[in-house]
Amino acid sequence: GSSAKVGACSLVPAPLCYQWYAGGTKIKKATTSTLTLTSKQKNKKITVKVTAKKTGYKTSKATAKVKK
């Protein structure tokens, strides 16, 4: 799977939360630091938005299309 290397909604150093997207569409219940890809994500670009409650958020660069 894909992974953002910090625990979901961790409180140190600031509260961080995750939301994964496939082809720009929010993946339901994909709100942890790791994502196990399914056949629904095939040929889609996968991104994760990490929100730090105190300092704003950053969105990762999209992956290449998922082939498997």
Side-chain angles (χ1 to χ4, degrees):
S2 296
S3 180
K5 298 292 184 186
V6 181
C9 295
S10 92
L11 298 176
V12 180
L16 296 176
C17 295
Y18 300 85
Q19 178 59 62
W20 290 88
Y21 296 82
T25 302
K26 186 184 291 187
I27 303 170
K28 291 181 181 180
K29 299 183 181 179
T31 56
T32 61
S33 63
T34 59
L35 173 68
T36 301
L37 299 175
T38 68
S39 60
K40 290 181 180 181
Q41 282 94 43
K42 187 176 180 180
N43 292 321
K44 295 190 177 173
K45 291 185 178 183
I46 305 300
T47 56
V48 61
K49 181 166 80 172
V50 181
T51 303
K53 298 285 186 183
K54 294 182 181 178
T55 58
Y57 69 89
K58 292 184 179 182
T59 301
S60 72
K61 291 182 179 179
T63 64
K65 287 186 177 180
V66 178
K67 297 294 182 186
K68 293 185 180 181

